[in-house]
């Protein structure tokens, strides 16, 4: 299994970001073929630490072939296009193999 992790930096307009993310972006993500499940976590830093991230989204796929097919699908492309509408420079992506 593999997962795509999106780490979101705190936006200047948190209310606008969350409205767009949960009302428009996540419905697009949930239509991506091959997506097994997705999880969104709002983050808090541990005492004495700092972080530029306030939210993390994890999207799980069976394997790299399923992930690549998902990202190349019309739904995957629509999700990627939508990302620039609200998080263009405020998101970092990581790909992990789940053990």
């Amino acid at each position: 299994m593999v997962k795509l992790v999106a780490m979101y930096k705190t936006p200047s307009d948190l209310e606008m970001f969350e409205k767009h993310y949960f009302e428009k972006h996540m419905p697009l993500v949930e239509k991506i073929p091959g997506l097994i499940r997705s999880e969104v976590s709002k983050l808090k830093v541990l005492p004495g630490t700092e972080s530029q991230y306030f939210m993390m989204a994890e999207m799980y796929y069976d394997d790299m072939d399923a992930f690549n097919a998902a990202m190349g699908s019309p739904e995957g492309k629509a999700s990627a296009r939508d990302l620039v509408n609200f998080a263009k420079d405020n998101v970092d992506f990581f790909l992990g193999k789940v053990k």
Side-chain angles (χ1 to χ4, degrees):
M1 182 176 291
V2 298
K3 68 177 173 177
L4 176 64
V5 179
M7 299 292 296
Y8 293 94
K9 298 171 188 169
T10 304
S12 58
D13 186 340
L14 188 58
E15 186 177 326
M16 183 281 302
F17 176 94
E18 288 186 346
K19 180 172 178 52
H20 187 102
Y21 187 84
F22 291 107
E23 293 179 12
K24 297 187 187 227
H25 189 68
M26 280 309 291
L28 291 172
V29 168
E30 291 168 357
K31 292 179 183 176
I32 296 174
L35 178 67
I36 295 170
R37 76 176 189 272
S38 63
E39 300 174 336
V40 177
S41 303
K42 291 197 179 175
L43 306 172
K44 288 190 172 203
V45 298
L46 296 173
T49 66
E50 293 181 23
S51 176
Q52 62 183 331
Y53 301 110
F54 87 103
M55 192 171 82
M56 172 177 66
E58 298 169 282
M59 293 139 288
Y60 295 82
Y61 299 89
D62 279 330
D63 53 32
M64 281 304 296
D65 289 337
F67 169 75
N68 289 329
M71 295 301 101
S73 71
E75 296 86 354
K77 290 177 181 177
S79 173
R81 280 191 307 271
D82 181 61
L83 201 58
V84 300
N85 292 326
F86 70 98
K88 181 179 176 184
D89 296 322
N90 285 337
V91 62
D92 293 320
F93 291 100
F94 303 89
L95 194 57
K97 187 169 186 176
V98 179
K99 297 218 177 222

